[in-house]
Amino acid sequence: MINWSIIVETFPAFLEGLQITLILLVISVAAGLVLSIPLSVARASDNLWLRTPVWLFTYVIRGTPLLVQLFIIYYGLPQFELIRDSALWPYLRSPWVCAWLAFTLNTTAYTTEMFAGAIRATPMGEIEAARALGLSRFQVFRDVFWPGAWRRALPQYGNEIVQMMHATALASTVTIVEILRVARDVYTNYLVVPESFGMAAVFYLVLTLILTRGFKMLEKHYLRHLDPAASAAPAIPRTDKAPANA
Amino acid sequence: MFHGYLPMILDGLGVTLSVASVSLLVACVFGMVGALAKLSASPGLRWGATTYTTVVRSLPDILLMLCVFYGGQIMLNRLADAQGWGYIDINPFLAGTLTLGFVFGAYLTETFRGAIMAIPRGQIEAGHACGLSRMQVVRFIVLPQMVRHAIPGFTNNWLVMLKATALVSIIGLDDMVHRAGLASAATREPFTFYALTGAIYLAVTTVSILALTALERRFSRGVRREVAR
């Protein structure tokens, strides 16, 4: 059924693809995280002039397909002479920069909305208490506001990273040789599905598994105070069964 | 402004919308079957449904689409060879809608499961006590009420799926994105046509959000709002 010699032969290519996938994921997510922190504060602000542009940005990005965004950047931008003549052109003609740009814009939009939601869910009393203690605005943000919002957003953020990892597969459409592109090349060479796409599926499955487990552990660490079993002595043995009425 | 390509792109919107609506139908079937399997008493059905949702949600949708498209092609060829039918091309519309339906069926399984679980258990017991059959309980008690609980998750999944239809252009379906590519090649104005496509997608998403919010309001008529107190 499965041709193992093809698997052995193409495995190194898959490992290289895995490396590219991870690089794409890490650089986009890192940039997205850095950008979305100030943007989410603006998005949750009472100031209309701060809130509206960020809302427009996230609405447009979240309302259009990532594939189209990638094509607008990669195929679309060179349409303009202004861009072809600019100092940025050597970068913008690289599929890497285009993919990174598209992925970063995308994850920034989703993460911004997520963090903004977590910020809005902050109990006012926490802020008032911190202000009453005489903390500066920046200290309130850094020591009270953000740690709480981050904890509230953590489960969703884990999902976003997994989604983003899957989204990097779109880079295969602009000549970047990540896992899916390797699979497509293997398919073109040998016309076999289990050894090409099946192999890629195994890679994505394992990556997803590692990421979800990792975030479960992070949640355990950061949300420890919310787990009654971990903070109090467990008087009742814990079962994983949901109550009948849930 | 669009060198006469606007009608062609708008025609492509028709393709995109038919892909989306057929996929949604398929997804609803998969989602409903999945949800009922997850809530069933049979461990085998529960295991099957859990495997389905876990595996599908762990893979990129574009990978699954290529898998179905190329894998289906190979299987079809083998079948055709064995039967002596000659070469048959797999239909990208069929491959695309089946994959999207299969993928989003996994997400809808969770939405529907949650919606069913939100219905008070006593109502279902009361239905049985009144002598309704299992089918009747589903038809008269579960389905009408789960719609309200399912709408928010359903809206989300529809929006994500709408955007995922752009992927069918990769397996060669003549949708909006594919046509934007053709028009770009002919006019050397890729930005114009991809931006136009993006704008049309945004318009469809906006209309969807407005329509589904109205629907949610309609199905929540007569429901007491806890927040309003």
Side-chain angles (χ1 to χ4, degrees):
Chain A
M1 271 304 271
I2 291 175
N3 187 338
W4 290 99
S5 68
I6 296 180
I7 294 201
V8 172
E9 202 176 310
T10 57
F11 197 73
F14 272 106
L15 283 183
E16 273 171 48
L18 169 70
Q19 205 181 334
I20 306 287
T21 293
L22 288 177
I23 293 173
L24 280 172
L25 177 67
V26 170
I27 58 176
S28 330
V29 163
L33 182 62
V34 170
L35 286 171
S36 59
I37 293 173
L39 283 177
S40 60
V41 175
R43 177 75 182 87
S45 129
D46 288 332
N47 184 330
L48 195 73
W49 296 103
L50 273 177
R51 198 172 59 202
T52 313
V54 182
W55 168 80
L56 191 67
F57 162 72
T58 62
Y59 190 76
V60 169
I61 296 286
R62 301 196 318 155
T64 51
L66 175 57
L67 186 71
V68 172
Q69 293 160 15
L70 182 62
F71 284 0
I72 290 179
I73 295 174
Y74 182 65
Y75 296 117
L77 289 184
Q79 180 179 328
F80 303 105
E81 217 166 302
L82 195 75
I83 288 173
R84 274 181 282 135
D85 289 341
S86 79
L88 288 174
W89 180 233
Y91 302 103
L92 281 176
R93 57 192 296 187
S94 139
W96 272 89
V97 175
C98 293
W100 173 71
L101 213 60
F103 294 164
T104 302
L105 284 176
N106 208 263
T107 185
T108 303
Y110 285 94
T111 314
T112 298
E113 283 300 324
M114 188 184 305
F115 284 161
I119 287 175
R120 276 188 225 108
T122 304
M124 267 325 278
E126 280 184 20
I127 311 298
E128 284 161 8
R131 302 284 295 164
L133 285 171
L135 298 189
S136 73
R137 279 181 80 91
F138 180 71
Q139 280 175 320
V140 171
F141 179 78
R142 193 192 57 191
D143 299 332
V144 180
F145 208 56
W146 185 249
W150 163 249
R151 284 177 164 86
R152 267 185 289 277
L154 191 60
Q156 268 182 296
Y157 189 65
N159 272 338
E160 165 63 18
I161 306 277
V162 172
Q163 294 294 321
M164 216 38 228
M165 189 261 288
H166 293 162
T168 58
L170 292 180
S172 63
T173 60
V174 292
T175 74
I176 294 178
V177 191
E178 38 62 84
I179 297 174
L180 187 64
R181 184 81 247 172
V182 174
R184 291 175 77 171
D185 292 345
V186 172
Y187 176 79
T188 320
N189 286 336
Y190 301 97
L191 292 177
V192 283
V193 169
E195 295 84 345
S196 56
F197 297 113
M199 199 60 197
V202 171
F203 272 83
Y204 284 114
L205 262 171
V206 171
L207 271 181
T208 308
L209 205 75
I210 294 175
L211 281 175
T212 12
R213 281 285 148 83
F215 268 93
K216 273 270 144 53
M217 277 160 66
L218 270 185
E219 275 172 44
K220 255 210 177 116
H221 174 74
Y222 279 110
L223 304 176
R224 202 181 157 73
H225 60 290
L226 296 180
D227 184 359
S231 52
I236 314 159
R238 279 222 301 163
T239 62
D240 286 317
K241 274 199 192 125
N245 269 336
Chain B
M1 185 178 173
F2 298 113
H3 306 283
Y5 282 99
L6 189 60
M8 182 180 100
I9 303 272
L10 287 178
D11 251 12
L13 170 64
V15 178
T16 296
L17 289 179
S18 38
V19 170
S21 40
V22 174
S23 308
L24 186 70
L25 273 179
V26 180
C28 282
V29 173
F30 273 108
M32 205 55 215
V33 172
L36 291 177
K38 271 204 172 178
L39 292 170
S40 88
S42 146
L45 282 180
R46 283 203 308 263
W47 182 85
T50 309
T51 313
Y52 162 55
T53 54
T54 316
V55 170
V56 166
R57 296 194 302 169
S58 300
L59 297 174
D61 27 21
I62 176 174
L63 169 74
L64 283 163
M65 198 174 283
L66 293 174
C67 248
V68 172
F69 186 61
Y70 292 121
Q73 184 70 66
I74 287 178
M75 280 200 284
L76 208 62
N77 282 352
R78 275 193 199 141
L79 187 73
D81 272 350
Q83 304 284 328
W85 291 337
Y87 187 80
I88 309 173
D89 250 335
I90 196 168
N91 182 339
F93 184 86
L94 203 68
T97 48
L98 279 182
T99 319
L100 286 177
F102 182 68
V103 170
F104 286 90
Y107 290 90
L108 282 181
T109 294
E110 297 301 328
T111 306
F112 290 162
R113 189 179 69 107
I116 292 174
M117 289 195 344
I119 298 167
R121 192 78 209 128
Q123 293 193 10
I124 294 165
E125 284 163 11
H128 285 304
C130 288
L132 297 186
S133 72
R134 287 177 70 91
M135 227 18 244
Q136 284 173 321
V137 168
V138 170
R139 242 177 76 202
F140 298 122
I141 300 177
V142 176
L143 274 179
Q145 293 196 82
M146 69 173 276
V147 171
R148 175 166 57 91
H149 296 294
I151 287 178
F154 188 80
T155 306
N156 254 335
N157 283 315
W158 163 251
L159 293 176
V160 178
M161 203 183 71
L162 201 62
K163 288 181 281 168
T165 57
L167 299 178
V168 295
S169 63
I170 292 171
I171 57 170
L173 193 60
D174 197 21
D175 76 325
M176 211 163 34
V177 180
H178 189 249
R179 288 174 192 221
L182 296 179
S184 305
T187 58
R188 297 180 172 276
E189 289 183 10
F191 186 88
T192 317
F193 287 101
Y194 284 121
L196 172 69
T197 306
I200 297 176
Y201 265 110
L202 193 62
V204 178
T205 349
T206 306
V207 171
S208 303
I209 293 175
L210 294 176
L212 286 160
T213 315
L215 195 72
E216 192 181 350
R217 213 169 288 141
R218 200 184 122 70
F219 271 94
S220 306
R221 256 190 331 198
V223 176
R224 189 176 47 201
R225 279 195 188 73
E226 304 278 342
V227 238
R229 281 187 299 179

